């Protein structure tokens, strides 16, 4: 589907306080979306301002602020330990977040929705380089399969709405992201930020 960003679009970035969401927000600000009243605005509520797990709150937010573009960068994320210890939280919370946002965006006639997935949706032993058609072709990596299943459901929800209702929704799979705003917790972070944190502490405190 063709799509053109308009100067007065109201862009809702779900998860704008996270690493990916904050980076996306900065790029839109560079394009002039600075909430000055003359151009489009960026809607980036934090968790205290909007509970994405609450269908009613999300629905009321859409009715009040009328976003035209929705970017879903919000998710419950974590490394191997977090996924292994809290599989229920990872599957249920992610399903609720994305289902609320995608369904309500569709019901409010959003012009464009972007859903960010994860490379963990692909089989553990997928051929390299990974291709889109490898999705659901084999078993997932056990240590994050609950998160992956939730993300696959979000992709399929977007796809089904596009097929059945011509809803302009697409899914992108960012891979191995790290950088400013990442989670550097020694146990709950992903591999790269965890390593960066260890390198930093070794350098600063003289660990050997």
């Amino acid at each position: 589907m063709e799509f053109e960003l308009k100067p007065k679009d109201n862009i809702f970035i779900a998860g704008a306080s996270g690493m990916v969401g904050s980076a996306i927000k900065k790029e839109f600000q560079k394009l002039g979306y600075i909430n000055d009243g003359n151009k489009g605005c960026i809607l980036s509520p934090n968790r205290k301002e909007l509970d994405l797990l609450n269908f009613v709150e999300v629905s009321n937010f859409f009715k009040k602020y009328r976003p035209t573009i929705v970017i879903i960068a919000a998710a419950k994320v974590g490394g191997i330990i977090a996924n292994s210890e809290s599989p229920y939280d990872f599957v249920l919370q992610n399903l609720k977040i994305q289902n609320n946002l995608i369904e309500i965006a569709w019901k409010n006639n959003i012009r464009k929705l972007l859903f960010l997935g994860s490379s963990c949706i692909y089989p553990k032993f997928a051929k390299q380089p990974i291709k889109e058609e490898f999705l659901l072709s084999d078993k997932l990596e056990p240590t994050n399969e609950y998160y992956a299943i939730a993300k696959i459901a979000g992709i399929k929800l977007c796809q089904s709405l596009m097929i059945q209702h011509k809803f302009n929704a697409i899914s992108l799979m960012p891979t191995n992201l790290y950088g400013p705003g990442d989670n550097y917790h020694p146990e709950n972070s992903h591999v790269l930020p965890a390593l960066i944190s260890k390198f930093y502490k070794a350098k600063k405190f003289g660990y050997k």
Side-chain angles (χ1 to χ4, degrees), residues 20-80:
V20 177
S22 61
I24 294 173
K25 181 177 178 179
K26 289 178 183 178
E27 291 303 312
F28 277 110
Q29 288 174 330
K30 291 178 182 178
L31 293 174
Y33 294 87
I34 54 177
N35 303 351
D36 64 356
N38 296 318
K39 293 187 176 182
C41 70
I42 299 173
L43 304 169
S44 55
N46 58 39
R47 293 180 183 179
K48 292 183 178 179
E49 296 168 330
L50 177 62
D51 181 6
L52 298 176
L53 297 169
N54 189 309
F55 186 90
V56 175
E57 280 194 30
V58 177
S59 182
N60 289 338
F61 177 88
F62 272 73
K63 292 177 181 177
K64 181 177 181 179
Y65 294 101
R66 299 187 178 281
T68 55
I69 309 295
V70 174
I71 299 173
I72 304 178
K76 179 175 177 58
V77 298
I80 292 175

Side-chain angles (χ1 to χ4, degrees), residues 3-194:
F3 172 76
E4 181 181 355
L5 192 64
K6 297 181 179 180
K8 292 191 176 182
D9 272 320
N10 293 329
I11 303 168
F12 175 24
I13 305 174
S17 60
M19 177 185 66
V20 177
S22 61
I24 294 173
K25 181 177 178 179
K26 289 178 183 178
E27 291 303 312
F28 277 110
Q29 288 174 330
K30 291 178 182 178
L31 293 174
Y33 294 87
I34 54 177
N35 303 351
D36 64 356
N38 296 318
K39 293 187 176 182
C41 70
I42 299 173
L43 304 169
S44 55
N46 58 39
R47 293 180 183 179
K48 292 183 178 179
E49 296 168 330
L50 177 62
D51 181 6
L52 298 176
L53 297 169
N54 189 309
F55 186 90
V56 175
E57 280 194 30
V58 177
S59 182
N60 289 338
F61 177 88
F62 272 73
K63 292 177 181 177
K64 181 177 181 179
Y65 294 101
R66 299 187 178 281
T68 55
I69 309 295
V70 174
I71 299 173
I72 304 178
K76 179 175 177 58
V77 298
I80 292 175
I81 293 178
N83 274 270
S84 299
E85 293 180 347
S86 307
Y88 168 81
D89 294 338
F90 275 85
V91 68
L92 185 62
Q93 289 186 31
N94 281 304
L95 284 172
K96 284 186 175 182
I97 290 170
Q98 62 202 35
N99 288 353
N100 287 346
L101 289 167
I102 295 170
E103 181 183 5
I104 293 170
W106 166 60
K107 288 184 175 179
N108 283 270
N109 299 312
I110 299 303
R111 289 180 52 242
K112 184 75 172 184
L113 181 140
L114 171 61
F115 175 67
L116 295 179
S118 168
S119 59
C120 72
I121 64 170
Y122 293 106
K124 179 177 181 179
F125 297 112
K127 295 180 180 179
Q128 301 296 322
I130 296 176
K131 297 181 180 180
E132 290 184 19
E133 53 264 34
F134 294 167
L135 182 65
L136 298 176
S137 63
D138 207 336
K139 294 181 180 180
L140 299 167
E141 161 58 44
T143 57
N144 57 19
E145 66 176 334
Y146 296 94
Y147 176 76
I149 287 172
K151 285 295 183 179
I152 292 171
I155 294 167
K156 290 301 180 181
L157 179 56
C158 289
Q159 187 178 43
S160 64
L161 280 169
M162 182 176 64
I163 293 171
Q164 187 172 340
H165 297 289
K166 309 303 180 184
F167 181 52
N168 196 352
I170 62 171
S171 301
L172 296 181
M173 304 304 115
T175 62
N176 292 331
L177 300 179
Y178 65 96
D182 206 342
N183 172 22
Y184 298 95
H185 190 278
E187 294 184 353
N188 295 331
S189 61
H190 290 99
V191 173
L192 286 176

Side-chain angles (χ1 to χ4, degrees), residues 196-207:
I196 291 173
S197 178
K198 290 181 179 180
F199 296 154
Y200 169 77
K201 290 179 180 178
K203 178 68 175 180
K204 182 176 181 180
F205 301 110
Y207 296 158

